[in-house]
Amino acid sequence: MAQPRASKAKVVDVHTHMYPPEYIRILESRLTIPLVRSFPGATDPRLILLDAEVPALNVALSSGPAATPSVLPGRPLTRHFASLSQKLHFMDTHGIDISIVSLANPWLDFLPPATAGPTATSINTSFSSMCAAHPGRLYFFAALPLTAPQEAILSSIAHAAALPYCRGVILGTSGLGSGLDDPLLLPILRALATASLPIFLHPHYGLPNAVFGPLAAAGAYGHVLPLAIGFPVETTIAVTRMYLAGVFDAVPSLRMLLAHSGGCLPFLAGRIESCIVHDGHLAVLGKTASPPRRTVWEVLREQVYLDAVIYSNVGLKAAVQAAGEGGAGRVMFGTDHPFFPPVGGGEGEDGVWESVELNSLAVEGAFGAGTPGAEGVMGGNAVEVFRLFGE
Ligand code: 5CU
Ligand code: ZN
């Protein structure tokens, strides 16, 4: 991909994150994950987010305040995470016309109930101001204070819906603490659907560290298992639980954009559907349901969009097929910036990122460069679905 493009079709990044400076200050003040820590000898402070990074954090902390740990925990907190000018530079470098920016994980999930509401207001207002400073180039998905009482969450939704550049909300899979199939979450999901705010569903919690084994805990496999396997499996389980609990039927106007092309859903939807049909209890419920039970495939095609952050045309084709006839219209390009920078950091971060190229090449590989399908996935679909018409 990269500049300059002959085509006038818009390129839109629907999966791109920032931490506004006030959020970084919260992370700097914390003693448990998520947190930001500086270590002697390291160029950037370290951003430590995931449970899988706790063993390395503990080793680093036990080496003492003056010592450089042999393995630095987490990832560098580069200038890309909080800087708006860096986001715009990244967009320009990669030929991205419009970004729908979202707070990165773990959002406000860890905040005490009393501070979650005001923090959501402050963060969403910051995103709104960033967008207003670059009209037509930036929109955002708002963060919700899910640990706060229900009234505070509902007021936060109303606040977000009234912000002119807000195009949805970003949510993790924990819901109010018991997942997205929790009946107590239904009023929140209904409020989002009524406000026409789609959910961008994004993983964070992954799988328990024990699943990955002792070598992973000792750092031998880096971040590969939690990010490449834990994240997509988390998304798959969360959405399947919603489906099994009937959430999509209870809130039929709810729309969701799933990160990383829906995790394993495009590949596993057939097996999920077959397991339902062959499960005595669910099969009976399905046959007597009125209106008739929609299949997993139908829900995917009616209420779900998928991003194209999958890094290969094999995965991308599966996503497009899972999205059904005309499925290319439900799949949208993203970068996951500022995660996955070029290895080595420094000046390289100002150039073209391999992680972005892999995703744009996957779109070209799946559809052919410059075809209507490719242009839709690269931006046209997002313009329509998220109404990115420049207001
Ligand atoms: O590299 C990572 O850990 C991440 C992350 O935490 N969140 C994300 O969106 N992408 C990559
Ligand atoms: Zn992401």
Side-chain angles (χ1 to χ4, degrees):
M1 130 167 206
Q3 65 308 178
R5 287 174 296 112
S7 157
K8 288 213 176 48
K10 297 274 186 222
V11 173
V12 180
D13 185 354
V14 299
H15 186 156
T16 180
H17 305 291
M18 280 183 79
Y19 291 129
E22 68 256 47
Y23 189 90
I24 302 271
R25 284 195 290 277
I26 295 174
L27 297 187
E28 284 167 345
S29 72
R30 289 176 54 80
L31 299 174
T32 55
I33 60 162
L35 57 80
V36 165
R37 273 289 167 288
S38 291
F39 292 95
T43 324
D44 292 304
R46 304 296 290 186
L47 170 64
I48 299 138
L49 299 175
L50 309 178
D51 249 346
E53 293 158 2
V54 170
L57 172 65
N58 289 338
V59 171
L61 291 177
S62 66
S63 27
T68 308
S70 54
V71 176
L72 289 164
R75 60 200 63 58
L77 179 68
T78 64
R79 61 194 188 284
H80 285 256
F81 279 88
S83 156
L84 179 57
S85 59
Q86 201 68 55
K87 177 69 77 189
L88 293 164
H89 171 82
F90 172 84
M91 289 169 64
D92 292 341
T93 305
H94 295 89
I96 294 165
D97 299 292
I98 304 173
S99 288
I100 312 182
V101 186
S102 49
L103 186 67
N105 49 300
W107 315 284
L108 311 178
D109 287 8
F110 57 92
L111 291 179
T115 58
T119 308
T121 307
S122 156
I123 298 271
N124 292 334
T125 305
S126 289
F127 274 113
S128 181
S129 309
M130 286 190 240
C131 296
H134 299 275
R137 281 216 88 184
L138 297 175
Y139 295 83
F140 74 104
F141 293 126
L144 291 185
L146 291 177
T147 55
Q150 190 187 91
E151 315 84 76
I153 306 175
L154 293 173
S155 343
S156 186
I157 293 172
H159 174 248
L163 296 171
Y165 297 97
C166 178
R167 288 299 184 270
V169 299
I170 182 159
L171 282 196
T173 60
S174 61
L176 304 174
S178 301
L180 303 180
D181 54 353
D182 180 356
L184 295 177
L185 193 65
L186 280 174
I188 308 298
L189 300 180
R190 287 201 179 97
L192 289 169
T194 304
S196 297
L197 291 176
I199 293 173
F200 175 28
L201 181 66
H202 192 291
H204 169 72
Y205 298 95
L207 295 170
N209 287 346
V211 168
F212 300 130
L215 288 175
Y221 307 145
H223 290 88
V224 174
L225 291 169
L227 293 182
I229 312 291
F231 269 26
V233 171
E234 175 191 354
T235 304
T236 309
I237 293 172
V239 177
T240 308
R241 281 173 57 179
M242 289 177 77
Y243 174 81
L244 291 170
V247 173
F248 292 102
D249 290 331
V251 196
S253 53
L254 182 70
R255 294 291 177 270
M256 297 183 77
L257 167 66
L258 307 184
H260 315 121
S261 300
C264 321
L265 277 172
F267 191 73
L268 291 184
R271 184 168 172 84
I272 296 167
E273 184 57 33
S274 167
C275 285
I276 293 168
V277 169
H278 291 91
D279 190 294
H281 156 69
L282 293 172
V284 171
L285 280 182
K287 288 215 171 85
T288 54
S290 171
R293 178 182 77 88
R294 284 183 298 157
T295 64
V296 178
W297 297 111
E298 284 168 322
V299 168
L300 279 177
R301 289 160 191 185
E302 290 164 15
Q303 291 186 245
V304 170
Y305 302 100
L306 304 172
D307 78 17
V309 184
I310 190 72
Y311 308 96
S312 90
N313 57 5
V314 175
L316 188 63
K317 282 179 185 160
V320 167
Q321 285 189 13
E325 204 177 316
R330 304 187 78 80
V331 179
M332 302 174 215
F333 176 74
T335 64
D336 215 359
H337 179 257
F339 294 97
F340 305 109
V343 171
E347 299 295 300
E349 287 172 17
D350 288 330
V352 172
W353 289 27
E354 186 180 6
S355 54
V356 179
E357 289 212 305
L358 283 172
N359 279 320
S360 54
L361 286 173
V363 176
E364 280 185 24
F367 293 94
T371 57
E375 292 194 342
V377 171
M378 290 306 292
N381 300 339
V383 168
E384 293 301 321
V385 170
F386 293 109
R387 299 172 286 105
L388 312 179
F389 302 121
E391 74 277 30

